Amino acid sequence: LGETRSPSPLLLAAAPPLPAESSALCFMLARVLVARGCRQRPLSSLHRFVSTFASVNGERTDPRALTVSAWDVSFQRGDGVFEVVRVLPGGKPRALSLHLDRLERSADAIQLPLPPRETLSDWCTAAAADGGIGSVRLMATKGAAEWDAPPTVFVMWQPLPSW
């Protein structure tokens, strides 16, 4: 899986430039990992984790502009559910019905109301068709801290790691 090397300031200085779609957060995380002596991979490979499709409550959004409010209950108390669905060649989500079953069971357990199943399925299918081979991440939170706040549902597509 690669060799472990001691951190080197020269490695960071000589690192190739990040692709335009990579976020500053990935770069900072890579610096921290290298400084702690973790396995090193080229920083340019971090772009494989960047989403090219994102939606919030069904509205398509720039993946780099996704945010979660500090008042969101999932951020404050970890109150939310998620599912990751593999996307096969041709942009078809694998076993989407089974994943949605599990998501609904998890949401019921924490009393999290979800949008209708058909809506969730449509959102996942749109993300898969747009992205191709990879994975679709579906995350539902209880929304803002008010008791009657509607849930927030994020859907993102990501490519599979190459390693």
Side-chain angles (χ1 to χ4, degrees):
L1 292 176
E3 61 181 319
T4 303
R5 299 180 205 156
S6 60
S8 165
L10 295 176
L11 176 70
L12 293 176
L18 289 170
E21 68 270 10
S22 293
S23 68
L25 182 61
C26 288
F27 184 71
M28 290 185 327
L29 176 63
R31 283 182 168 261
V32 169
L33 292 174
V34 168
R36 291 187 177 176
C38 296
R39 277 193 202 114
Q40 298 170 8
R41 292 188 177 88
L43 295 178
S44 62
S45 69
L46 292 174
H47 76 278
R48 70 178 168 262
F49 297 112
V50 176
S51 180
T52 59
F53 178 97
S55 70
V56 179
N57 294 333
E59 284 201 35
R60 183 118 185 221
T61 307
D62 179 358
R64 294 168 294 202
L66 284 178
T67 59
V68 175
S69 168
W71 299 111
D72 191 293
V73 178
S74 68
F75 182 75
Q76 294 203 354
R77 296 191 294 270
D79 227 356
V81 296
F82 72 94
E83 241 345 279
V84 179
V85 182
R86 175 78 187 264
V87 180
L88 302 173
K92 179 159 176 49
R94 182 177 185 274
L96 181 58
S97 179
L98 297 174
H99 285 283
L100 291 177
D101 289 344
R102 184 168 48 196
L103 184 79
E104 289 172 341
R105 283 193 310 270
S106 299
D108 286 344
I110 64 168
Q111 300 174 352
L112 170 62
L114 291 175
R117 184 184 182 97
E118 298 77 33
T119 303
L120 294 172
S121 179
D122 290 346
W123 292 347
C124 289
T125 303
D130 186 75
I133 298 173
S135 63
V136 170
R137 293 182 176 272
L138 178 65
M139 297 177 284
T141 76
K142 287 191 176 177
E146 297 91 32
W147 287 104
D148 58 347
T152 303
V153 180
F154 298 92
V155 178
M156 295 164 289
W157 174 87
Q158 289 182 299
L160 293 177
S162 59
W163 38 275

